[in-house]
């Protein structure tokens, strides 16, 4: 057993192998079915991402407020107002989390 970082994928005549960067041992080729995902490498949040997260939180709160006001004006029940604001907040938050997922680190520890 070894803890390493995925360095790439190598195709040979025997099949496709995952190239692992193992500390002290260099690169090792291992079959994909022999791997077990242990952790995903996560870098600390940068100042730009922290500001973006704060802006996304503000936009989500504003979307929830606007949504609740637009539902409340015609005289909707309180439960509909609550679910409309929660839905708008969740939609903005989900879009932000998807953006983080797509632009985040792509390194795995196996």
């Amino acid at each position: 057993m070894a803890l390493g970082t995925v360095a790439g994928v190598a195709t040979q005549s025997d099949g496709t192998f995952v190239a692992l960067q193992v500390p002290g041992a260099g690169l090792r080729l291992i079959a994909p079915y022999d791997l077990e995902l242990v952790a995903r490498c996560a870098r600390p949040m940068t100042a730009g991402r922290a500001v973006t997260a704060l802006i996304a939180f503000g936009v989500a709160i504003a979307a929830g407020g606007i949504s609740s006001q637009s539902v409340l004006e015609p005289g909707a029940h309180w439960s509909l107002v609550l679910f409309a604001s929660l839905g708008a907040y969740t939609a903005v938050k989900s879009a932000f989390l998807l953006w983080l997922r797509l632009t985040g680190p792509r390194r795995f520890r196996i």
Side-chain angles (χ1 to χ4, degrees):
M1 296 187 76
L3 184 64
T5 304
V6 174
V9 177
T11 304
Q12 296 185 345
S13 60
D14 299 350
T16 303
F17 294 94
V18 177
L20 291 182
Q21 179 70 38
V22 181
L27 286 176
R28 289 175 54 185
L29 296 178
I30 299 178
Y33 53 83
D34 288 337
L35 299 175
E36 181 179 342
L37 182 63
V38 176
R40 184 177 174 135
C41 179
R43 294 179 291 219
M45 186 178 281
T46 62
R49 283 210 175 190
V51 169
T52 306
L54 188 60
I55 290 170
F57 178 70
V59 169
I61 293 293
I66 291 169
S67 176
S68 65
Q69 284 297 324
S70 65
V71 171
L72 190 60
E73 284 177 5
H77 194 260
W78 66 268
S79 60
L80 183 59
V81 173
L82 175 72
F83 287 123
S85 62
L86 184 63
Y89 174 82
T90 304
V92 174
K93 180 183 166 189
S94 297
F96 175 69
L97 291 177
L98 177 64
W99 175 77
L100 281 180
R101 177 81 176 177
L102 292 175
T103 60
R106 288 170 178 76
R107 295 183 61 159
F108 293 93
R109 300 292 254 180
I110 53 174

